[in-house]
């Protein structure tokens, strides 16, 4: 072993060292590692004769690699539109592939639609409608998603239907504010902070501690299960499947929000049935101005897609149409739905079911 080590060491010492910085570093590294075997690191390094190894005396210059200049390519509007079309195509294909299990899942969750939320409380239906109108204002003012509104109402109704604690009219403000706060955290990328809810939304009439305590209470009552289909979930799925989102979304969103105002209507029909009625009325309304849309073709498709009974769906749609036409008389002082929607009740007046 000693002879082998000696031969390797001599060979390394006699090797010609290249002027290349990479090769130089490599040779020196190997030399140092070999000398460390005999624990003579300092002595061996001192005994290296640089001249004998033909190492260039010139200083080594390490040049920085040339930086690659990033050229920003400005994509044309035509390219962007092509990308959007391809993305929407992929999304459409994805929805079509999984539409059946998704709708089956919504059908299962439909049983969880909140019912009789005011039955055990001293809160009347008009006050609930005022709260919903105020939620429309808050959610719209803070530019939250439409889904945040629907989840807020669902959480409020679900909590009131399940809690054993009796609530009075003055409690509804806290329940509504907290439901919005929770829905915002669940749906928004940048949710409204608690300090804003306390100062700007609740106008300091509710403390931060009260809101946090009510949030914990709501979560306990609903068993921490925020999962559940809203009316908008069902609408969005059907509109995507039938490729009608662009034509019907605004009308459907308006009518779905309007439907939630009426306590009796919400108690009588499930979210799935309400969504179907909303789509039927939206189709019949929009076809008056859009000749490419035919209710005779589209309405049966909507009902069959949701797997509902045709006659029952038409009855529900007729009831919703009556509610829509009489909305201003039934809720004369509630203006936020009309204020924050592009769709108008006047557009529905000529619609027949």
């Amino acid at each position: 072993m000693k002879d082998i080590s000696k031969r390797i060491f001599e060979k390394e010492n006699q090797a010609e060292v290249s002027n290349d910085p990479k090769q130089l570093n490599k040779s020196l590294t190997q030399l140092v590692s070999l000398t460390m075997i005999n624990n003579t690191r300092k002595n061996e390094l001192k005994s290296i004769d640089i001249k004998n190894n033909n190492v260039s005396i010139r200083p080594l210059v390490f040049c920085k690699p040339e930086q690659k200049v990033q050229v920003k390519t400005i994509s044309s509007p035509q390219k962007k539109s092509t990308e959007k079309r391809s993305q929407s195509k992929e999304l459409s294909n994805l929805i079509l592939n999984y539409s059946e299990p998704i709708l089956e899942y919504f059908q299962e969750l439909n049983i969880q639609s909140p019912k009789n939320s005011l039955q055990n409380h001293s809160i009347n239906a008009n006050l609930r409608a005022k709260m919903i109108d105020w939620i429309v204002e808050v959610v719209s003012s803070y530019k939250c998603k439409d889904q945040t509104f629907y989840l807020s109402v669902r959480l409020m109704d679900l909590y009131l239907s399940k809690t054993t604690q009796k609530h009075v009219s003055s409690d509804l403000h806290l329940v509504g504010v907290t439901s919005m706060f929770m829905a915002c955290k669940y749906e928004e990328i940048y949710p409204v902070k608690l300090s804003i809810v306390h100062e700007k939304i609740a106008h300091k009439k509710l403390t931060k501690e009260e809101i946090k305590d009510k949030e914990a209470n709501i979560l306990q009552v609903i068993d921490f299960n925020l999962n559940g289909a809203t009316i908008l979930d069902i609408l969005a799925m059907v509109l995507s499947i039938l490729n009608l989102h662009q034509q019907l979304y605004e009308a459907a969103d308006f009518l779905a929000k309007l439907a939630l105002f009426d306590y009796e209507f919400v108690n009588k029909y499930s979210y799935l049935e309400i969504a179907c009625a909303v789509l039927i009325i939206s189709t019949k309304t929009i076809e008056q101005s859009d000749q490419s849309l035919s209710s005779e073709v589209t309405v049966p498709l909507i009902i069959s897609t949701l797997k509902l009974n045709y006659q029952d769906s038409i009855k529900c749609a007729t009831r919703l149409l009556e509610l829509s036409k009489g909305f201003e008389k039934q809720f004369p002082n509630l203006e936020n739905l009309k204020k924050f929607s592009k769709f108008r009740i006047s557009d529905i007046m000529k619609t027949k079911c």
Side-chain angles (χ1 to χ4, degrees):
M1 285 297 291
K2 287 182 179 178
D3 292 334
I4 294 168
S5 299
K6 188 177 179 181
R7 283 202 302 273
I8 294 170
F9 181 77
E10 285 174 354
K11 187 179 179 182
E12 190 66 30
N13 253 346
Q14 291 169 3
E16 185 173 316
V17 182
S18 171
N19 287 336
D20 184 18
K22 291 182 181 178
Q23 294 295 329
L24 177 62
N25 291 341
K26 185 178 178 183
S27 301
L28 288 175
T29 306
Q30 290 174 349
L31 180 61
V32 171
S33 62
L34 284 167
T35 56
M36 286 182 71
I37 295 171
N38 297 321
N39 295 320
T40 57
R41 182 172 181 270
K42 290 183 180 177
N43 295 332
E44 294 293 358
L45 283 173
K46 285 180 181 177
S47 65
I48 296 172
D49 187 359
I50 297 176
K51 289 181 182 178
N52 292 338
N53 284 285
N54 297 324
V55 179
S56 175
I57 301 172
R58 289 178 301 170
L60 297 172
V61 179
F62 295 94
C63 298
K64 290 183 179 179
E66 231 178 88
Q67 289 185 352
K68 292 181 180 179
V69 180
Q70 291 182 352
V71 181
K72 292 184 179 179
T73 56
I74 302 169
S75 56
S76 62
Q78 189 177 358
K79 189 178 179 182
K80 285 184 180 178
S81 63
T82 307
E83 287 174 0
K84 282 182 182 178
R85 279 199 297 272
S86 63
Q87 286 174 3
S88 62
K89 211 177 212 179
E90 287 176 11
L91 182 62
S92 299
N93 291 335
L94 203 64
I95 290 168
L96 285 172
N97 290 334
Y98 294 97
S99 60
E100 194 172 336
I102 290 171
L103 284 173
E104 284 176 6
Y105 179 60
F106 286 161
Q107 198 83 35
E108 291 173 12
L109 295 178
N110 192 48
I111 305 167
Q112 301 175 13
S113 297
K115 298 288 181 184
N116 302 314
S117 57
L118 305 180
Q119 190 174 10
N120 300 320
H121 308 286
S122 300
I123 301 170
N124 61 48
N126 284 331
L127 190 61
R128 177 186 169 278
K130 285 180 182 178
M131 174 54 68
I132 291 173
D133 193 59
W134 182 64
I135 292 174
V136 170
E137 181 184 15
V138 173
V139 169
S140 302
S141 299
Y142 283 90
K143 301 187 186 304
C144 297
K145 297 176 184 175
D146 290 327
Q147 177 68 341
T148 302
F149 165 81
Y150 289 97
L151 184 57
S152 300
V153 176
R154 182 182 175 276
L155 284 174
M156 181 180 71
D157 284 346
L158 189 65
Y159 167 71
L160 291 173
S161 65
K162 288 192 170 188
T163 184
T164 54
Q165 180 186 352
K166 189 172 181 178
H167 288 74
V168 295
S169 298
S170 57
D171 297 328
L172 189 60
H173 187 213
L174 176 59
V175 175
V177 167
T178 309
S179 298
M180 271 193 289
F181 179 54
M182 291 171 66
C184 199
K185 287 200 289 184
Y186 194 81
E187 290 294 338
E188 302 295 329
I189 297 172
Y190 302 105
V192 181
K193 294 180 179 179
L194 179 59
S195 57
I196 300 296
V197 175
H198 163 64
E199 293 174 19
K200 305 293 183 182
I201 297 175
H203 301 292
K204 297 184 179 180
K205 291 180 181 179
L206 302 171
T207 65
K208 292 179 183 179
E209 286 71 27
E210 283 178 316
I211 296 169
K212 287 192 285 186
D213 289 344
K214 181 53 72 177
E215 181 182 20
N217 179 227
I218 291 173
L219 287 169
Q220 285 174 348
V221 168
I222 66 174
D223 198 24
F224 292 85
N225 183 16
L226 278 78
N227 189 28
T230 64
I231 297 176
L232 186 63
D233 287 325
I234 302 163
L235 289 176
M237 178 53 59
V238 177
L239 289 174
S240 297
I241 290 169
L242 300 180
N243 199 23
L244 294 169
H245 191 277
Q246 192 173 355
Q247 288 172 295
L248 297 183
Y249 182 80
E250 280 185 9
D253 178 51
F254 176 83
L255 286 166
K257 287 175 180 175
L258 183 146
L260 287 171
F261 277 70
D262 194 292
Y263 178 66
E264 290 182 9
F265 185 74
V266 171
N267 278 341
K268 188 172 182 180
Y269 299 103
S270 67
Y271 280 176
L272 203 71
E273 291 168 324
I274 293 171
C276 185
V278 163
L279 290 169
I280 291 169
I281 302 303
S282 300
T283 304
K284 288 182 174 290
T285 302
I286 298 302
E287 77 169 337
Q288 296 172 29
S289 56
D290 188 350
Q291 295 179 356
S292 66
L293 190 65
S294 170
S295 61
E296 290 182 6
V297 176
T298 308
V299 168
L301 278 174
I302 291 166
I303 296 170
S304 62
T305 301
L306 289 169
K307 299 176 184 178
L308 295 173
N309 179 273
Y310 186 86
Q311 295 300 327
D312 292 340
S313 299
I314 296 298
K315 283 180 183 178
C316 182
T318 304
R319 175 72 185 87
L320 177 60
L321 184 60
E322 291 171 0
L323 171 63
S324 303
K325 290 181 177 180
F327 183 81
E328 291 179 332
K329 289 182 180 179
Q330 188 175 349
F331 306 106
N333 300 318
L334 306 185
E335 299 290 331
N336 287 320
L337 181 61
K338 294 180 283 182
K339 181 181 175 182
F340 292 100
S341 178
K342 293 178 182 178
F343 196 77
R344 294 285 174 261
I345 293 177
S346 57
D347 298 331
I348 307 170
M349 292 303 176
K350 294 179 182 179
T351 305
K352 295 178 181 179
C353 199

